Amino acid sequence: MSDKTLFEKIIAREIPADIVFEDDQCIAFRDINPQAPMHILVCPKKPMPMLSDATPADNALLGHLLVTSATIAASQGYGDAFRVAINNGAAVGQSVFHLHLHVLGGRRFSWPPG
Ligand code: AMP
């Protein structure tokens, strides 16, 4: 039995995904249940369950994920208006315990978020 998370399986190409970007540090694919016209998940290849597991050694990786999120939003035509969200913990909605940034765009978003 595999103890890989769903997103590790996507990274390993063990299950399919609509991949829009990949480099040596991260992969980005479309959310299977999109909450906006653009809803892309950006994941580090390094297994890290959640943002609160990051340490200062991850500063460059986390910066890379943010800059990549903006680049992907721009490449999808939403470079001027997009939202990046991270759910950290089951209590705020995290369901897959491999860090991922939700990159959303193409509709109006309320503030504060629900
Ligand atoms: P979170 O609730 O923040 O952990 O986000 C997990 C996200 O993964 C949800 O928005 C799901 O719709 C999405 N998701 C679950 N399974 C897949 C999959 N096989 N491919 C793409 N996205 C998925």
Side-chain angles (χ1 to χ4, degrees):
M1 201 175 96
S2 169
D3 57 2
K4 284 181 184 168
T5 64
L6 183 62
F7 293 168
E8 284 177 278
K9 290 177 184 171
I10 288 174
I11 291 165
R13 304 298 202 275
E14 292 173 9
I15 62 171
D18 185 356
I19 296 168
V20 299
F21 178 82
E22 183 173 21
D23 66 13
D24 60 323
Q25 297 181 76
C26 68
I27 191 167
F29 51 89
R30 294 189 191 282
D31 196 293
I32 203 166
N33 183 24
Q35 301 301 310
M38 175 185 69
H39 188 172
I40 291 169
L41 303 175
V42 180
C43 305
K45 291 187 172 176
K46 172 182 173 176
M48 182 189 301
M50 53 212 288
L51 181 60
S52 56
D53 293 310
T55 72
D58 298 308
N59 284 357
L61 173 60
L62 295 176
H64 182 70
L65 296 176
L66 281 174
V67 173
T68 299
S69 295
T71 302
I72 291 171
S75 74
Q76 299 288 320
Y78 299 105
D80 291 335
F82 62 93
R83 180 172 288 181
V84 176
I86 297 173
N87 292 323
N88 190 95
V92 297
Q94 187 174 4
S95 60
V96 178
F97 287 83
H98 180 111
L99 176 63
H100 50 282
L101 286 65
H102 295 259
V103 184
L104 303 127
R107 66 166 172 83
R108 292 190 66 82
F109 291 92
S110 59
W111 192 263

